[in-house]
Amino acid sequence: MKSSSGIDSEQAAYDVLHAGTVIPAHLLALTAQRTLDERRQRALTRYYLDAGVGGLAVGVHTTQFAIRERGMFERVLELAAEESRTWTSRPIALVAGLIGDTEQARAEAQTARRLGYHAGLLNLAALKSWSEDQLLAHCRAIAEEIPLIGFALLPEVGGFHLSFDFWRQFAEIENVIAIKMAPFNRYRTLDIVRAVVAARAENRVALYTGNDDHIVLDLLQPFAIPRDGATVTVRIRGGLLGHWSVWTHAAVQQFTDLTVERSEVPHHLLALDSVVTDCNSAIYDAAHDFAGCIPGCHEILRRQGLFEGTWCLDENETLSPGQLTEIERVYAEHPRMNDDSFVRENLDRWLSSDPAQPLTTTD
């Protein structure tokens, strides 16, 4: 599809999405009788467009999932698509929310593509009883219909956490173009960033924040992810947020300011945030909701010689399955984070029964 200027408008929309932009999660305008108010729905889309957004996410949580059972799904998507083409000449990335089992999500993806949508935000919340292998098969099937945006949704609003391995394999799907990260959890967010880098997909898969509790820092912070002995720097490129469905003009200005200013923030200090979080996730056992946090701390001290073991008063309080492997991983990947040499140089003095002796340090 080409615009009057001859530019491939579909490719231009993908370029906007890939570069990073403001994408509000579109709200739903209803009459007092709870029927679709098409005039106000169009007005809302126009507001978003004039506010300067680069995309629209329609049929998502804030559009209300019940539009499907009320027979509104197609019309609501259609209205936003029409306005995006007629109200502005700018390329707008259109994202359709997709839900349900494979049959339903596939049908919704086909409808979205027919209406000119560029990507589908795939919500897996209804499938939490499925295994990760089943979920990946589902994702691959829908990716055959439309480019996919993954969605990590916090459990408090119906989602569930998926593993690092799931997100790595998801990022390996060729038609995945972005992931909206909304676990409201720094450990889980970092897992997804690490997974994208492990899949070598960081240049293809654009990361978007859905973390309403961490919007500004998500957009400012670079992630420093080790891979093959080097450091891969990754940024969250934009936001796909219900928070941005209101006060949208201000949000666009804030986004513009942030993307300009983040180049002035000391890079090494911002990048340190992801390194510290990664190390903390292993030691504090974020993968098991912190069940092994105390034994994890004990394990570090045991390795350094300050403790003889990792024992706790509760004999059942031990390292979680796989936690030791994670501790070894962060030791290897972030060697500058530990203070082993400092402990090694001073351990005998600390363990000595003699009075205070001079501190030994190589700093």
Side-chain angles (χ1 to χ4, degrees):
M1 178 171 60
K2 294 189 180 291
S3 67
S4 58
S5 63
I7 299 174
D8 185 329
S9 59
E10 184 169 14
Q11 183 57 54
Y14 285 120
D15 290 344
V16 168
L17 195 153
H18 188 264
T21 190
V22 170
I23 304 179
H26 209 303
L27 295 170
L28 180 68
L30 296 175
T31 68
Q33 292 72 40
R34 292 180 174 80
T35 59
L36 177 61
D37 187 334
E38 292 198 5
R39 181 169 71 93
R40 293 184 182 278
Q41 189 72 9
R42 288 184 185 275
L44 184 61
T45 303
R46 293 169 182 176
Y47 158 62
Y48 292 149
L49 295 171
D50 282 352
V53 305
L56 299 168
V58 190
V60 294
H61 176 261
T62 50
T63 324
Q64 301 176 47
F65 293 138
I67 60 174
R68 292 157 174 87
E69 59 195 53
R70 298 294 184 89
M72 299 180 185
F73 177 75
E74 182 169 347
R75 185 58 178 159
V76 169
L77 264 64
E78 184 177 32
L79 290 172
E82 287 176 359
E83 293 302 325
S84 74
R85 290 190 289 267
T86 60
W87 192 254
T88 182
S89 59
R90 295 185 295 112
I92 300 296
L94 293 175
V95 179
L98 309 176
I99 68 171
D101 61 17
T102 304
E103 181 180 1
Q104 178 180 346
R106 179 183 282 120
E108 292 186 0
Q110 292 169 348
T111 296
R113 274 310 252 169
R114 177 169 51 78
L115 294 174
Y117 279 69
H118 306 104
L121 179 68
L122 189 59
N123 189 326
L124 303 175
L127 311 178
K128 61 180 64 178
S129 64
W130 292 19
S131 70
E132 290 195 349
D133 285 343
Q134 289 175 310
L135 292 172
L136 286 165
H138 171 76
C139 295
R140 294 183 183 108
I142 308 307
E144 293 176 359
E145 304 292 342
I146 193 169
L148 281 191
I149 299 176
F151 188 10
L153 179 62
L154 68 158
E156 288 79 357
V157 294
F160 57 100
H161 291 312
L162 292 159
S163 72
F164 169 88
D165 285 335
F166 171 88
W167 288 113
R168 177 183 56 77
Q169 292 182 71
F170 179 82
E172 290 172 348
I173 299 172
E174 186 174 354
N175 212 24
V176 166
I177 60 173
I179 297 174
K180 171 182 173 174
M181 303 183 293
F184 284 43
N185 181 307
R186 302 315 296 162
Y187 305 111
R188 302 289 184 173
T189 298
L190 180 55
D191 269 352
I192 297 168
V193 179
R194 288 180 49 235
V196 170
V197 172
R200 301 183 180 276
E202 68 273 7
N203 294 322
R204 169 172 52 82
V205 177
L207 295 174
Y208 273 69
T209 182
N211 290 320
D212 298 71
D213 63 341
H214 210 266
I215 298 169
V216 170
L217 288 179
D218 268 356
L219 294 170
L220 280 175
Q221 172 193 337
F223 292 81
I225 309 298
R227 185 180 67 196
D228 299 340
T231 297
V232 178
T233 300
V234 180
R235 284 192 180 274
I236 294 174
R237 302 184 195 179
L240 197 167
L241 292 152
H243 180 80
W244 282 351
S245 65
V246 297
W247 298 346
T248 312
H249 186 259
V252 170
Q253 185 58 58
Q254 291 162 11
F255 176 78
T256 301
D257 292 345
L258 288 170
T259 52
V260 171
E261 292 296 332
R262 67 186 181 188
S263 63
E264 304 300 323
V265 179
H267 173 89
H268 69 285
L269 293 179
L270 288 173
L272 182 63
D273 182 85
S274 64
V275 174
V276 171
T277 302
D278 193 20
C279 292
N280 181 267
S281 72
I283 298 167
Y284 254 58
D285 193 29
H288 299 93
D289 296 324
F290 314 110
C293 61
I294 296 176
C297 292
H298 289 192
E299 170 62 16
I300 299 300
L301 300 181
R302 185 200 65 78
R303 286 169 175 254
Q304 294 179 325
L306 281 161
F307 279 14
E308 286 189 329
T310 62
W311 314 291
C312 297
L313 289 173
D314 182 349
E315 63 183 24
N316 295 314
E317 195 167 355
T318 60
L319 292 170
S320 294
Q323 186 179 2
L324 188 59
T325 300
E326 277 298 280
I327 289 173
E328 290 169 349
R329 176 185 67 79
V330 297
Y331 247 106
E333 291 185 353
H334 306 298
R336 296 182 63 183
M337 292 300 296
N338 73 67
D339 64 353
D340 286 6
S341 61
F342 173 69
V343 173
R344 186 167 50 250
E345 291 165 359
N346 291 281
L347 181 61
D348 287 345
R349 184 176 60 83
W350 295 333
L351 292 174
S352 172
S353 59
D354 292 342
Q357 301 172 35
L359 177 69
T360 300
T361 177
T362 57
D363 293 341

